[in-house]
Amino acid sequence: MTTTLQPPVTPAASAADGPPARSPRRVGFGSKLSAWDLKLSPYLYISPFFLLFIVTGLFPILYTGVISFMDWDQIRGSGTFVGFDQYAYVLSQPAFWDALRNTFSIFVLSTVPQLLLAVFIAAMLDQNIRAKTLWRMGVLVPYVMAPVAVALIFSNMFGDQYGIINTLLGRIGLPGVGWHSDAFASHIAIATMVNFRWTGYNTLILLAAMQAVPREYYEAATVDGAGKIRQFFSITLPSLKPTLIFVIITSTIGGLQIFDEPRMFDQSGTGGSDNQWLTISLYLYNLGWGEWNFGRAAALAWILFLIILAIGAVNLFISRSLVRDEGSRDGLSRAQRRAAARAAKQRLAESTGKVARS
Amino acid sequence: MNSRALRRTALIAAVASTSALVLAGCSGGGGTAAGGGDEEVTLTVATFNDFGYTDELLNAYTAEHPNVKIVHNRAAKSNDARANYFQKLGKSGLADIEAIEVDWLPEVMKYSDLLAPVPQDLQSRWLDWKVKAATDASGNLIGYGTDIGPEAICYRADLFEAAGLPSDPAEVAAALEGDWSTYFEMGDKYVAATGKPFFDSAGSVYQGMINQVEAAYENPDSGEITATTNPDVKKIYGMTLDAAKTQSAHFEQWSTDWYAGMANGAFATLSCPGWMLTQIEGNAPEVAGWKIADTFPNGGGNWGGSYLTVPGNGAHVAEAQALADWLTSPEQQVKFFQQAGTFPSQVDALKAPELLASTNAYFGDAPIGEIFTKRAEAVSVTPFKGEYYFQVNDAMQKALTRVESNTQDAQTSWDQWVSQVDAIG
């Protein structure tokens, strides 16, 4: 379908063409107004977000940047310039590297099983079942729970001596797991909480994407004799690509900033006696609100910012190569399309007799 | 938000409102006198854990001062209160009266100029060392002392009996008379008889011992951190962990497991400052065996205690000071003690007949008033806690936990603590 777009006819423009009885001055101002209206209005419409962003987003980012170069006293609001000292301090702390390791470990342990499970549940919910809405809303229930409440429940499950899981393990004659002493065990416990909360959320997003896959594909596949599993791998999964990338990117950002669950994992909330489950955000919090050293905390905030940027770039690179053919009708890559356009232009130029550029 | 911009706005607002007030005063001519004590005032009081400030007791103040409304905000943990306090100190948003804990008092002292000082004539009300800890370099006392934490030993009489140890409070007190090695010897006997742990955690025993050291972590004169080279610290660390090998239940204090252990009989003794009583009673309501022995290894010890502070930039500083004065008056302190076991820090309160006569039914009608008064008198050392006390001690507690949870051996954990302390400052 094609639409023919025409330049909008503004009242002021038609007034200018109107009877000369009107005072030219008024018309002039009116047309000027409407010209401004045309030019400025779109910017005004989108400005609330950007103004808000400058105040609540950009300003704190820059302010943090300034503080990160200072020995900052948050209470008196003053500080002395110390250059890159705070960055050097943070990078030289073993706690930082522990935090980096833990963050990635928890991130992987929570994202991978979570997305696999979400795809599976979404595929199940995509089937013809009774009380669809009930089931679909059901998966979102854990997401509604406050993280603190989730942490409370799970900390009872993952207690070292009186926790449900260790009690059950004891029943079948296995030794208890040191949930609060072994680093990897603590990561699993925390990842479990994260998975509990976020699986349903991702399921619904993936389900929405699945519903958008044209049913004809499945009909055709059924006619061709493809089974449910073959259909899932050959139709559903490829169609999910862009949505999966979106989900992966949001989970990455969330995963790198994980805070609530590790903070609530024990009573002191400082990441364990040997930094077993200290994450970067938690370390940032400890530096700022535990030691009142906002210079160091700000430096760490910037380091975290750079890490997320780097991961984001990697993500972008991967997603570009994955969705190369998404959204184009002819299955060509952007470079190929551009090459084709150049070639067409050149042909046109040659056909009209002009000298082609090299 | 830019604090300078905020300050400027605040300044402009202040100037504007003052001039408005002045103008109103001029034009009003012969109206009612400004100020006075009859103005309707809402005072907020922020505390944590349990200070015993029940609505009922606070209403007694409102009855005397009908123009004052008291709003009491209670944080669950002192760490939450600490974060909130430092986030807002010197800015706005703090309550009119803010409770602070002894452990972070040193950090508060750095900003003593931001708090309204306690009037001079009240200073003789408290125990000397309670006043000394909260007095800054220019001689201003910035905290109204609330409670102190004189320590006794709580124990499970039923478990002691089963282990063939004396179980009557007086007998236990007599048997424990001595230093920490007496305590650990009794622990060995208990463990040999029952095979069960004697105390809750290395952390709480360590805390009891380190609070008897005059200058554990920092040099009182220079403020320099001496923790890692102080032989006392190393000795206490070694002693605690040696005993913990067999005698500790390896709980981390304040963990869910620790609380459950109080009810399960997972350990037989617990260092007991006055405020610990409500913790035990609340978490082990079914257990009948908990008793208090009027003793503490190596003399007396103080664990914890709090102050009330009045932020200097509050809206009702004078009214808040009056309320803080009332809240920390000897008569009220005795009531709060009966309510929550927060032991008074006022000289007069320690002599009050109601305090001396108070008993606790849960602990077998123990004469807690009398016991803790004696325990308070036995405190002979006021440990110096400087600016970095909280961080050093926190790292030490983690070091102990690492050994208790078998994450590391004692030496590795000590070395890690040393490198952490070296990075502080």
Side-chain angles (χ1 to χ4, degrees), chain A residues 17-266:
Chain A
D17 300 334
R22 291 192 176 211
S23 121
R25 193 192 183 108
R26 255 183 71 196
V27 169
F29 185 62
S31 70
K32 217 181 239 174
L33 248 189
S34 66
W36 287 346
D37 182 36
L38 259 183
K39 274 187 185 159
L40 283 178
S41 294
Y43 296 102
L44 279 176
Y45 295 147
I46 58 163
S47 67
F49 168 78
F50 287 95
L51 290 177
L52 214 63
F53 172 74
I54 288 169
V55 174
T56 62
L58 194 63
F59 177 73
I61 290 174
L62 297 177
Y63 190 52
T64 311
V66 172
I67 288 180
S68 71
F69 293 109
M70 292 178 134
D71 188 1
W72 187 256
D73 186 334
Q74 178 69 9
I75 291 165
R76 298 198 197 277
S78 62
T80 47
F81 184 80
V82 292
F84 279 95
D85 281 10
Q86 310 287 22
Y87 289 89
Y89 173 88
V90 169
L91 291 175
S92 70
Q93 289 301 298
F96 170 75
W97 301 102
D98 284 343
L100 198 65
R101 172 202 71 186
N102 297 343
T103 306
F104 277 98
S105 166
I106 294 173
F107 160 63
V108 170
L109 282 172
S110 58
T111 312
V112 176
Q114 187 187 119
L115 291 184
L116 291 179
L117 206 62
V119 171
F120 177 75
I121 298 173
M124 293 297 109
L125 289 174
D126 196 28
Q127 306 302 313
N128 247 332
I129 47 172
R130 279 167 202 273
K132 271 184 201 158
T133 318
L134 177 82
W135 296 112
R136 285 172 191 174
M137 288 299 110
V139 296
L140 204 60
V141 170
Y143 177 69
V144 181
M145 284 173 71
V148 177
V150 174
L152 265 178
I153 296 165
F154 278 82
S155 70
N156 274 319
M157 286 175 63
F158 292 110
D160 289 316
Q161 302 199 26
Y162 300 119
I164 298 169
I165 296 180
N166 277 0
T167 311
L168 288 178
L169 285 175
R171 287 268 166 78
I172 54 171
L174 290 171
V177 179
W179 298 112
H180 289 82
S181 54
D182 183 56
F184 189 64
S186 71
H187 297 174
I188 291 182
I190 291 168
T192 311
M193 296 183 217
V194 179
N195 289 339
F196 173 77
R197 272 196 81 211
W198 290 92
T199 306
Y201 174 85
N202 287 327
T203 302
L204 284 198
I205 292 178
L206 290 169
L207 177 63
M210 282 183 192
Q211 306 252 296
V213 180
R215 298 288 126 172
E216 291 82 5
Y217 290 1
Y218 293 103
E219 283 164 22
T222 313
V223 170
D224 287 348
K228 283 277 176 203
I229 296 172
R230 180 66 203 268
Q231 287 181 14
F232 175 76
F233 282 104
S234 298
I235 302 172
T236 314
L237 266 192
S239 324
L240 281 184
K241 257 189 201 168
T243 317
L244 268 177
I245 284 158
F246 167 77
V247 170
I248 289 170
I249 290 177
T250 49
S251 321
T252 309
I253 296 172
L256 293 177
Q257 295 182 332
I258 186 162
F259 176 75
D260 297 334
E261 285 85 359
R263 167 110 173 119
M264 296 297 300
F265 191 55
D266 75 340

Side-chain angles (χ1 to χ4, degrees), chain B residues 132-382:
Chain B
K132 205 177 110 196
T135 304
D136 68 5
S138 42
N140 285 328
L141 172 66
I142 51 90
Y144 294 77
T146 58
D147 61 323
I148 50 176
E151 291 186 272
I153 293 285
C154 290
Y155 70 99
R156 285 282 296 268
D158 49 340
L159 296 180
F160 266 48
E161 205 166 335
L165 293 170
S167 61
D168 181 69
E171 287 168 19
V172 174
L176 278 176
E177 205 53 53
D179 56 10
W180 283 96
S181 48
T182 321
Y183 177 75
F184 292 138
E185 273 162 30
M186 188 191 244
D188 281 335
K189 278 186 215 157
Y190 178 85
V191 174
T194 60
K196 288 202 289 189
F198 185 58
F199 56 80
D200 59 328
S201 72
S204 78
V205 170
Y206 175 88
Q207 196 70 36
M209 292 167 91
I210 205 73
N211 276 337
Q212 293 173 332
V213 178
E214 200 122 9
Y217 298 146
E218 291 150 292
N219 183 330
D221 302 319
S222 61
E224 194 188 334
I225 300 178
T226 53
T228 53
T229 51
N230 188 340
D232 285 343
V233 176
K234 177 102 201 193
K235 196 181 121 212
I236 292 174
Y237 177 82
M239 257 178 103
T240 311
L241 288 177
D242 267 351
K245 271 182 209 152
T246 53
Q247 299 181 21
S248 167
H250 306 304
F251 290 122
E252 205 178 333
Q253 281 179 302
W254 321 114
S255 66
T256 7
D257 277 349
W258 184 70
Y259 282 120
M262 286 183 188
N264 291 358
F267 46 86
T269 58
L270 186 60
S271 304
C272 250
W275 46 261
M276 189 68 89
L277 304 184
T278 44
Q279 302 278 332
I280 298 176
E281 193 179 339
N283 287 287
E286 316 273 289
V287 180
W290 280 107
K291 296 260 165 62
I292 310 168
D294 179 8
T295 183
F296 197 68
N298 209 13
N302 180 68
W303 180 10
S306 302
Y307 292 87
L308 297 181
T309 61
V310 176
N313 60 355
H316 309 287
V317 172
E319 288 88 347
Q321 280 180 313
L323 176 59
D325 178 0
W326 183 84
L327 284 170
T328 54
S329 67
E331 307 83 62
Q332 305 309 324
Q333 289 297 293
V334 173
K335 288 182 195 153
F336 298 140
F337 171 68
Q338 286 163 338
Q339 179 66 37
T342 51
F343 195 76
S345 55
Q346 291 77 355
V347 184
D348 284 346
L350 294 180
K351 294 182 198 127
E354 304 99 295
L355 178 86
L356 292 170
S358 57
T359 58
N360 187 312
Y362 177 83
F363 289 89
D365 287 321
I368 49 170
E370 204 181 303
I371 292 176
F372 285 110
T373 306
K374 277 197 210 150
R375 299 322 317 153
E377 283 161 2
V379 178
S380 54
V381 176
T382 315

